[in-house]
Structures are given as structure tokens and as C-alpha cells.
């Protein structure tokens, strides 16, 4: 059986994908993959996701230059979540200019940014980013 067919894709043909730093174990981001993006990732060693908002493949770093080099691909026990162990080139995974997308922490009933912006998103993308 084809390794892609062994996975449990959702009704849209997507599977969640977690990007984790291959050295530190830090979770950098969560995105979605379809069969095409996962196959390309496995073939090239570069993280490729599926953008639900753009409805197309999203090669991580295509605009920002912050590419993810994949060291290892894993799947969970239910085969419905993919884990990518990556090297985050440029040190920034989040479109907000932070190392990780998980920079908000719940404190006293409010979400507070607890990680610094490493690079202004305007400087990365040349436009205003959230």
C-alpha cells in the first residue's frame, strides 16, 4: 500500500502538520498538508504545506525566505497528524516575525505575547502583517 494512503485524511483531503525544531523540540507552527504537499516535502526535504486561505501549495519561505529543511517525517499512532522535525532557516517560523507561532500565553485571563519579534513583518514581507 502507498504510504500516503495509509494516512487518515479529513473530508477535504487534508491532514494537520506540526513543525518542530529537530534539535530543541520546540513546536514552531501548525499547518495543513494535502497529498501533493506531503509528497513534495518527502521528495525534496523542504517543508511544503497547503494554504487553505489561498487554496494552493505553500512552500514555506517562498515569500519570507524562512525555509524549513526537513530532517524527519513522523506520523502519530492514529495516522491523522504529521510531525515534521525541521531546521528553521533564518530562525523565524511565524509571519509575525517571531521564532514560533506559539508566542501567546494565557496570563490572568488574557492572551499575552511572551516571545519577542525578531524581525519586523513589514521588513520580511514588504507589507503590513497581523
Amino acid at each position: 500500500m502507498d504510504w500516503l494512503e495509509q494516512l487518515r485524511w479529513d473530508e477535504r483531503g487534508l491532514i494537520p502538520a506540526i513543525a518542530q525544531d529537530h534539535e530543541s523540540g520546540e513546536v514552531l507552527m501548525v499547518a495543513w498538508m494535502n497529498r501533493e504537499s506531503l509528497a513534495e516535502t518527502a521528495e525534496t526535504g523542504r517543508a511544503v504545506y497547503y494554504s487553505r486561505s489561498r487554496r494552493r501549495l505553500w512552500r514555506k519561505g517562498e515569500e519570507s525566505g524562512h525555509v524549513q529543511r526537513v530532517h524527519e517525517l513522523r506520523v502519530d499512532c492514529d495516522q491523522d497528524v504529521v510531525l515534521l522535525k525541521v531546521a528553521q532557516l533564518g530562525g523565524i517560523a511565524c509571519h509575525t516575525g517571531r521564532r514560533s507561532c506559539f508566542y501567546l500565553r494565557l496570563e490572568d485571563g488574557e492572551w499575552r505575547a511572551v516571545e519577542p519579534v525578531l524581525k519586523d513583518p513589514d521588513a520580511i514581507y514588504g507589507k503590513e502583517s497581523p
Side-chain angles (χ1 to χ4, degrees), residues 3 16 18 25 30-33 41 46-48 60 63 71 79 82 85 87 102 107-108 119 122-123 127:
W3 64 274
I18 300 166
V30 175
W32 293 91
M33 298 180 105
T41 297
R46 177 180 173 176
V48 179
K60 179 68 174 153
E63 292 180 32
H71 286 256
Q79 296 181 308
V82 174
K85 294 194 174 206
F102 294 92
E107 293 181 355
D108 300 321
K119 189 169 185 180
D122 289 349
K127 59 183 179 185

Side-chain angles (χ1 to χ4, degrees), residues 31-115:
W32 293 91
M33 298 180 105
N34 63 9
R35 284 171 177 81
E36 185 181 358
S37 66
L38 184 51
E40 184 175 325
T41 297
E43 182 180 325
T44 66
R46 177 180 173 176
V48 179
Y49 301 104
Y50 180 78
S51 171
R52 295 176 301 167
S53 60
R54 298 179 213 154
R55 294 189 174 111
R56 67 170 179 83
L57 293 187
W58 161 42
R59 290 164 182 87
K60 179 68 174 153
E62 65 189 11
E63 292 180 32
S64 67
H66 300 135
V67 173
Q68 292 175 342
R69 291 284 173 216
V70 179
H71 286 256
E72 188 175 351
L73 286 171
R74 294 189 181 206
V75 67
D76 75 324
C77 58
D78 293 325
Q79 296 181 308
D80 62 359
V81 178
V82 174
L83 175 66
L84 293 81
K85 294 194 174 206
V86 304
Q88 180 64 60
L89 304 185
I92 297 172
C94 186
H95 74 283
T96 66
R98 292 175 172 87
R99 167 108 178 116
S100 169
C101 293
F102 294 92
Y103 64 89
L104 296 170
R105 180 171 60 206
L106 185 62
E107 293 181 355
D108 300 321
E110 293 183 25
W111 293 108
R112 298 191 188 189
V114 295
E115 301 296 333

